[in-house]
Amino acid sequence: MIAFAANAQERPADAAAIRAHIESIFQAFIDGDQDKIFATHSEDWRGFLEGSHAPIKGIDDYMRANGIEWPRPANAPKLTPYLPTGTTYKVSDFDVHFYGPDLAVASFFGEFQRKDGNSTITLRRLRIMDVYAKRKGNWIQVASHTVIDPDWRAAQMSQPMTITPQIRQRILAA
């Protein structure tokens, strides 16, 4: 048996297709497009998401683990976006490695951001490792390990918090 491994530079078209797929998932979450989220993950999806205490098995469990009522009732109203208006995404430190003609692992950081005046605020920064399989000629996410980036979380926790009059009142009452 011949071992097969390649980095993104050796398979630029496949690496670009996987990155575009990942970016379409970020956009689907921004838009609240549940059908797109469902379509971009395999039926036999496996993995962990932030806060999961056991492996998530299957697309239906993946959808529910993301707080999505699934399967959606036929008469359900159209959903609104999950994130505030003006939210964008950023993918950084993207790396993909191919372990066969139809298997790849991508690791990267993904951020949901929005503009606040002249500055950009990161709403959430994720540390992600996705497994992709080529099925029926197209790449699809078959597994993932997704968590809030611990370095980003620590930085957020060390920032001073604005105490509103309502929060102050609750603290004093306690």
Side-chain angles (χ1 to χ4, degrees), residues 100-127:
D102 300 328
L103 181 66
V105 174
S107 54
F108 57 95
F109 290 99
E111 295 181 16
F112 289 106
Q113 305 175 324
R114 72 175 171 80
K115 288 276 189 194
D116 186 21
N118 292 331
S119 60
T120 300
I121 298 171
T122 298
L123 302 174
R124 188 176 310 138
R125 180 176 164 96
L126 303 168
R127 182 187 291 180

Side-chain angles (χ1 to χ4, degrees), residues 11-162:
R11 294 181 60 183
D14 284 327
I18 290 170
R19 184 175 178 128
H21 191 270
I22 288 166
E23 290 179 353
S24 77
I25 294 170
F26 274 91
Q27 191 62 53
F29 273 101
I30 289 170
D31 296 340
D33 187 342
Q34 295 179 349
D35 293 330
K36 178 74 171 186
I37 295 167
F38 180 84
T40 53
H41 297 77
S42 69
E43 288 185 29
D44 59 346
W45 189 94
R46 296 292 191 267
F48 291 94
L49 299 176
E50 180 75 24
S52 60
H53 299 286
I56 299 165
K57 300 175 183 174
I59 184 63
D60 291 342
D61 285 347
Y62 170 85
M63 298 294 280
R64 287 189 287 272
N66 274 294
I68 299 169
E69 181 183 4
W70 201 263
R72 241 175 118 211
N75 60 349
K78 181 168 176 15
L79 296 164
T80 58
Y82 294 134
L83 297 158
T85 301
T87 298
T88 60
Y89 65 86
K90 174 184 169 188
V91 173
S92 62
D93 295 319
F94 182 80
D95 179 67
V96 64
H97 193 80
F98 297 90
Y99 291 92
D102 300 328
L103 181 66
V105 174
S107 54
F108 57 95
F109 290 99
E111 295 181 16
F112 289 106
Q113 305 175 324
R114 72 175 171 80
K115 288 276 189 194
D116 186 21
N118 292 331
S119 60
T120 300
I121 298 171
T122 298
L123 302 174
R124 188 176 310 138
R125 180 176 164 96
L126 303 168
R127 182 187 291 180
I128 302 173
M129 184 177 76
D130 287 341
V131 179
Y132 271 78
K134 198 170 212 181
R135 295 187 175 162
K136 299 178 185 173
N138 295 305
W139 290 102
I140 189 161
Q141 189 186 111
V142 296
S144 186
H145 186 255
T146 302
V147 295
I148 300 291
D149 176 30
D151 294 337
W152 178 81
R153 184 184 313 226
Q156 296 304 302
M157 305 268 309
S158 68
Q159 295 295 316
M161 185 175 160
T162 301

